[in-house]
């Protein structure tokens, strides 16, 4: 079952043994993921249930319920400003190991680099390899790079944070604990070397993002995602 | 004050404005760190107080009390099995950013590589650069590589853990929380790719190490140290 693509549906979409796919979901499966009839994918209801499913024209046929042990209870999406050089390879690899759901590469004011399509393919290949190595149930989605403004509005999520090393911001872990259990999705934006610009921070706050700290040391942009994923995963999984 | 070497003393060693150095401390300062009379170093009492100190033959003259904001309250020492290739450069860099106190490279059964002295110098240079970038108050100590057995007995620490991905071990964070506040030092051993051998695990347990998990996904050896430091640092610093 490992390394199949997957989508999140609402529990109401399941009727008998079929998943009634919404138009957008069908588009995503057939056009973005390029699945054909009979191809398998994973359907998640966002509250811990997973099914192996086969695409049958406009609906999904449920093949079996899946036992998932290696995925986080809460979906973590990262908006990551693209670093210079090849640092993003390691970011994709390690974030995948640490349980990320979605990575959105961001072209920010301080990272003008617009990566080639080969790079995107490379990142997706790295994510697939890392998902297999770390025995995850699915491969994280790596988006095509978008502008910061586009990134801010990509997700509807209960909790959205933007990391900012300077200033007197509350710790991400403190904010997360105040919200408590029962969240389904969290979106976190992490800036480029040199940090977000003042304008970017203001736009994020206006878009519903809360400014948070990751601790007292100044982290490089490529290190911050590991910290975010490590502390949230430990918070979810330390009962074992 | 950044990037000075430092030693930990007991509060009883301070008399008036002087630090009475023990024989071993003096040896460490003059022979290992190669400080001469008049050179500055940092003295820590292990419970949060720091002083800038000047070496004066057999004692240290206290110059001023230091305000330290960027260091963890608890000293974290990592025993890290050396990976193949150059992966250890990144480990040293990122662990330094994340607040490590001491890194001991370990030659384990599954890592036969014995690095050259140039490598050790390189790691120390990387640690110094990373300490400066992340605005830490001191440079972590990188030991010369030792055998696993030597590593197990290097430190007297209240809490010693060995990370093991397989099996039904309690989460590091859970163990740490049970111990609670007031610890001064924690030692954590992290294995090579492929994990520790059964014999190594048994030796560690006999030496007072407790087996812990870092979560449900299988982590690469080079990723595990980031997780350890991230979750312990967040646990100590999320009050801000």
């Amino acid at each position: 079952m490992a390394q199949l693509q997957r989508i999140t549906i609402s529990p109401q979409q399941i009727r008998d043994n079929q998943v009634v796919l919404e138009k957008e979901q069908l588009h995503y499966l057939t056009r973005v993921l390029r699945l054909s009839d009979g191809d398998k994918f994973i359907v998640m209801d966002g509250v811990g249930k997973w099914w192996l499913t086969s695409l049958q024209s406009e609906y999904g046929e449920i093949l079996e319920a899946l036992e998932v042990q290696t995925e986080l209870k809460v979906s973590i999406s990262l908006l990551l400003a693209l670093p210079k050089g090849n640092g993003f390879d390691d970011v994709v690899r390690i974030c995948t190991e640490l349980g990320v759901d979605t990575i959105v590469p961001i072209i920010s004011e301080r990272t003008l680099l617009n990566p080639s399509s080969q790079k995107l393919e490379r990142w997706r290949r790295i994510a697939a390899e890392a998902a297999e190595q770390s025995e995850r149930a699915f491969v994280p989605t790596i988006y095509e790079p978008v502008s910061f403004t586009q990134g801010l509005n990509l997700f509807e999520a209960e909790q959205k944070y933007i990391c900012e090393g300077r200033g007197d911001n509350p710790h991400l872990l403190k904010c997360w604990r105040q919200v408590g259990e029962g969240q389904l999705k969290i979106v976190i934006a992490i800036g480029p070397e040199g940090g977000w610009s003042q304008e970017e921070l203001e736009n994020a706050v206006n878009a519903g993002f809360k400014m948070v700290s990751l601790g007292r040391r100044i982290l490089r942009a490529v290190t911050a995602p590991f910290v975010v994923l490590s502390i949230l995963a430990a918070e979810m999984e330390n009962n074992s």
Side-chain angles (χ1 to χ4, degrees), chain A residues 8 30-31 49 53 72 94 146 159 186 188 210 218 233:
Chain A
T8 304
T30 57
R31 299 301 169 93
K49 287 192 184 156
T53 308
L72 296 175
I94 296 177
V146 298
Q159 293 297 310
I186 175 171
I188 303 179
K210 187 175 167 68
I218 300 300

Side-chain angles (χ1 to χ4, degrees), chain A residues 8-240:
Chain A
T8 304
I9 59 158
S10 67
Q12 294 80 358
Q13 288 180 255
I14 295 182
R15 296 193 194 141
D16 301 325
N17 230 25
Q18 291 185 347
V19 182
V20 182
L21 295 166
E22 291 174 358
K23 200 173 169 186
E24 282 178 13
Q25 292 168 336
L26 197 60
H27 176 87
Y28 178 73
L29 288 169
T30 57
R31 299 301 169 93
V32 182
L33 302 182
R34 301 198 182 162
L35 300 190
S36 310
D37 270 14
D39 284 348
K40 290 174 186 171
F41 60 103
I42 291 169
V43 153
M44 307 177 292
D45 68 357
V47 287
K49 287 192 184 156
W50 295 48
W51 294 273
L52 181 63
T53 308
S54 160
L55 186 64
Q56 303 293 344
S57 66
E58 293 186 4
Y59 61 92
E61 192 186 334
I62 291 179
L63 302 175
E64 57 174 308
L66 297 174
E67 187 90 9
V68 173
Q69 299 286 358
T70 55
E71 294 298 331
L72 296 175
K73 282 186 291 183
V74 178
S75 146
I76 304 178
S77 296
L78 295 179
L79 308 177
L80 300 180
L82 280 168
K84 289 174 199 149
N86 290 319
F88 212 64
D89 288 8
D90 280 340
V91 170
V92 169
R93 183 178 294 110
I94 296 177
C95 287
T96 300
E97 279 181 71
L98 297 176
V100 75
D101 182 278
T102 309
I103 295 176
V104 183
I106 298 286
I107 317 276
S108 81
E109 284 180 30
R110 292 183 188 166
T111 51
L112 297 174
L113 177 87
N114 205 336
S116 63
S117 62
Q118 285 92 330
K119 281 230 167 158
L120 186 61
E121 277 171 38
R122 178 178 165 79
W123 297 331
R124 287 176 174 161
R125 201 169 58 241
I126 288 171
E129 288 165 3
E132 187 168 355
Q133 277 194 333
S134 55
E135 304 188 2
R136 291 191 55 181
F138 68 80
V139 179
T141 304
I142 316 289
Y143 273 63
E144 290 195 27
V146 298
S147 73
F148 182 63
T149 312
Q150 287 174 299
L152 288 182
N153 299 302
L154 265 181
F155 301 103
E156 294 279 335
E158 293 88 347
Q159 293 297 310
K160 301 185 202 175
Y161 300 103
I162 185 164
C163 299
E164 172 60 18
R166 307 283 176 183
D168 195 23
N169 300 308
H171 198 288
L172 169 65
L173 184 55
K174 189 182 185 186
C175 295
W176 175 251
R177 283 187 185 161
Q178 285 167 348
V179 177
E181 289 279 316
Q183 302 295 309
L184 295 182
K185 192 166 177 60
I186 175 171
V187 175
I188 303 179
I190 296 173
E193 298 299 327
W196 299 108
S197 71
Q198 195 56 39
E199 195 187 339
E200 285 171 330
L201 285 172
E202 283 167 17
N203 288 342
V205 169
N206 289 337
F209 284 70
K210 187 175 167 68
M211 281 166 63
V212 291
S213 149
L214 296 177
R216 298 188 178 176
R217 287 154 302 287
I218 300 300
L219 302 176
R220 286 181 307 145
V222 292
T223 305
F226 314 154
V227 175
V228 164
L229 292 166
S230 296
I231 63 180
L232 293 179
E235 195 66 12
M236 294 174 207
E237 295 182 342
N238 75 75
N239 299 325
S240 64

